Amino acid sequence: MVFTSSEFILFLAAVFVLYYAIPPKRQKALQWKILLAASGFFYYMTGVSNLIYIGVTIVTTYSASLVIGKLLDAQEQFVTKCKNTPDIPKTETKAKIKAYKNQNNKKRLFLLTVCLLINFGLLGIIKVNWLAILGASFYIFRSMSYIIDVHRAKFKPLGNDCIIGGLPKFALFVSFFPLIMQGPITRYNETAPALFGGNRFDFQKVSFGVQRMLWGFFKKLVIADRLNVAVITLCNDPEQYGGIYALLAMLFYAITLYADFTGGIDITIGIGEALGIPIAENFNRPFLSRNIFEYWRRWHITMGTWFKDYLFYPLSVCKPMLKFSGFTRRYFGEVGKRIPVHIVTLVTWFATGIWHGFSWNFIVWGLLNGVVIIISTESEPLYRRFNNRFAFTKTAGYACFEVFRTFWLMCFIRSFDCYIGVRTTLSVHLSIITNFGWKKFTTEGLAGLGLTNADYAIVAAGVVALIAVSCIKTKLNKLKDTTDEVIGVRQWLSGKPLPFRFAVYGTLLFGIIIFGVYGFGYNAQQFIYTRF
């Protein structure tokens, strides 16, 4: 059941009606159960085999987290008991506590490791065999962040007080249907209060949520699904469409992926907002980034923070890496301080590539990102001196150049996601230099890519709309309201006269109805990131 299908719209309407039909006094007790039933039904509709895989993740993670929680409770009780025993000397008490903590930590670490191996092993099986298990990467990462946070004692595990009562709630956290398709990768402590706390109907939240969903449908149906036809044509025949057409493929794919992925996230966040459940933002105008660091702080934000918090930082401060860091500092001086960080960076980006897919294309994609980041880090002093020496680096024109440079750098790296095989991708890159094909482009143009001139005009208008909204966001982010919060586009629109608002909403709605890619004979396109 795809977000853009009529079945999903009917399903969502039914969920909203049932969710808010519950009397206010019973909302906390019943609303989350309706969401659990809805999530189970939604995932069942994607395929029965999907339920088996997600069931394994839910049961193993929940069970391991319960035992880890009990071990932490036992440790806390032991420490309290030792400290409240006056007859034992302090030195002896400290030694006993330290020994107990070490033993307790070994047990917890063993359980955590087993759980991680089971679930990441399961994800590896899915990736290696290219199994069509919807959203596996997202719910496994969400589950693993939960058990790691329990191990770190950030919060008590669900079921710590009532074992049976905690399992359904944990199942909802893992399988919450708006998040199952393509994220974001939310954390338990971020979503739990609203997910299980009960939510009364709030007209502004519901209307803002519907507006966000409409914007997502516009991106997906009007831009992404239409332009994807040309992307498939260009990328499936790299021998015919090399040179300038390869550049065109990279540009079209960047637009398609952005409209597709952010469109799906807009729908997800909109559903959550309409239900009173805030969901983390996953994008922040990434194509306005001036360097690769900024780009990855703006693109797929929750994935980046997951790898940073649960892989990069732990690897950076683990005992072997700290020992290695001391070694490199002794023998390589100032440069040696950065060698361990660069190694961890490459490991993290290698893992990020594997997360996207178990193939050389994604591995090379990940490592290329890591290498460019390392080169940029090492070149930082040169950049600084260059920027300090030349005044034009402070101008708007130079800022536009940096945005242009970063955009195309990421397009070239992202092209490993477009073509089949690393060798094919590299040959396409080479064709831009050796066989640009300008004459072919001037004679054939865009006519053979499966789209009409009207399609290109619609896509161009949609892209202009995306740019306009990004410009409005940029301007609004410089403004503050009385509560010192950043003003959003929807909040800004809500302050405009009613005719203006209706004109904007009506244009968006009818734009989807008239220009959206759907209807009889149309097979609703799954979102690109569901395959990851």
Side-chain angles (χ1 to χ4, degrees), residues 114-157:
V114 170
C115 186
L116 292 174
L117 287 175
I118 289 173
N119 284 280
F120 284 131
L122 188 66
L123 183 59
I125 292 171
I126 292 170
K127 295 288 186 183
V128 170
N129 294 283
W130 293 96
L131 299 177
I133 306 302
L134 187 64
S137 295
F138 296 100
Y139 69 68
I140 287 177
F141 270 52
R142 193 155 55 246
S143 304
M144 295 307 97
S145 72
Y146 172 87
I147 194 168
I148 292 171
D149 286 345
V150 168
H151 172 73
R152 293 174 176 176
K154 285 191 173 183
F155 47 76
K156 296 281 186 182

Side-chain angles (χ1 to χ4, degrees), residues 245-273:
Y245 283 101
L247 292 176
L248 199 64
M250 295 177 199
L251 174 63
F252 283 2
Y253 183 67
I255 296 170
T256 300
L257 182 63
Y258 176 78
D260 187 281
F261 197 6
T262 63
I265 295 297
D266 286 332
I267 295 170
T268 294
I269 293 175
I271 294 170
E273 194 167 7

